[in-house]
Amino acid sequence: MAIRVIIADDQEMVRTGFRMILESQPDIEVVADVVDGEAALAAVAAHRPDVLLLDIRMPKLDGLEVTRRLCGQDKPRIVIVTTFDLDEYVHAALHGGASGFLLKDASPAMLVEAVRAASVGDSLVSPAITVRLLREMAPRTPASVAARRPAEPLTDREREVVRCLARGLTNAEIGGELFVSLSTVKTHLANVQAKLDARNRVEIAAWAWESGLASTPA
């Protein structure tokens, strides 16, 4: 079954380009593209997509508000599409429950990979934006967020996995670096997510930077 995608961006060239890239893939179907946040919510209700590619600055409702309203739903998975000059907006979206981040000038292959990853509950976290973003924003994060304590202490291996995640590595890359299987990486991340009561891997990465784990030696 094809991955159903909605594109929400107020720039027609962006929507057209993304649609052409995604529709060239046999396993992806773009069911709608819309120009603002209100239209995005209406399209999600009408089409029940698997993935929503969402700009932040849009008319009527911005991407942050759309993310907040959709937070807690199983679908769609939200991938924020942004540029470097929107770091603080992306940080807010991360805490709102976004599943991944993508630069507007990302390669076609990365766009496709981000959609496929989000559709199965994984995330493509672009190191170029998220590592820079999380590292720079951590010192300005409220102490209550940075001080969040896991329900149970993380094991040494879980801490290693989280450090890799915070650097922007995919599950496959984490497995290769730590010499463990992909299923083992997923198990560790699931355990960490439960211990932190995190909504997704992006929130785990945020916690790692905010708590200082990502910047401590292994």
Side-chain angles (χ1 to χ4, degrees):
M1 183 178 296
I3 302 167
R4 295 164 56 80
V5 178
I6 288 176
I7 302 166
D9 195 294
D10 61 347
Q11 298 181 37
E12 184 177 359
M13 289 183 63
V14 171
R15 297 197 311 275
T16 300
F18 282 3
R19 178 183 278 274
M20 290 177 63
I21 292 168
L22 296 176
E23 290 189 335
S24 70
Q25 303 300 310
D27 60 333
I28 298 176
E29 175 188 5
V30 178
V31 296
D33 64 76
V34 297
V35 300
D36 60 59
E38 286 187 357
L41 290 175
V44 167
H47 297 285
R48 308 303 299 173
D50 300 301
V51 178
L52 171 62
L53 289 180
L54 185 64
D55 190 15
I56 290 182
R57 287 183 176 172
M58 294 187 296
K60 298 184 180 180
L61 287 179
D62 64 25
L64 298 180
E65 180 62 19
V66 173
T67 300
R68 186 188 69 79
R69 295 192 187 189
L70 293 174
C71 180
Q73 298 185 21
D74 290 336
K75 292 182 180 180
R77 306 287 184 178
I78 296 174
V79 176
I80 295 294
V81 183
T82 188
T83 54
F84 277 124
D85 64 338
L86 296 175
D87 280 358
E88 294 195 22
Y89 293 97
V90 178
H91 191 262
L94 180 152
H95 288 291
S99 295
F101 299 106
L102 195 68
L103 298 178
K104 282 191 176 180
D105 61 356
S107 68
M110 183 170 287
L111 175 64
V112 171
E113 186 179 353
V115 168
R116 288 175 176 155
S119 71
V120 295
D122 205 343
S123 301
L124 187 148
V125 182
S126 172
I129 182 169
T130 53
V131 173
R132 171 179 177 267
L133 165 70
L134 297 174
R135 183 175 59 243
E136 293 183 357
M137 293 300 294
R140 290 178 276 166
T141 302
S144 59
V145 175
R148 182 196 298 187
R149 301 296 182 189
E152 299 177 27
L154 271 59
T155 66
D156 289 344
R157 180 60 88 181
E158 287 169 352
R159 291 167 67 86
E160 290 175 337
V161 169
V162 170
R163 286 192 188 96
C164 291
L165 175 65
R167 287 163 43 205
L169 273 61
T170 65
N171 286 356
E173 290 169 338
I174 294 172
E177 180 155 324
L178 299 181
F179 303 103
V180 297
S181 68
L182 184 60
S183 62
T184 298
V185 173
K186 291 181 177 179
T187 297
H188 285 313
L189 287 177
N191 291 339
V192 171
Q193 186 171 337
K195 289 179 178 181
L196 292 175
D197 192 26
R199 285 168 291 192
N200 51 53
R201 64 190 285 121
V202 181
E203 199 164 273
I204 294 173
W207 173 83
W209 283 105
E210 292 160 355
S211 67
L213 175 61
S215 56
T216 57

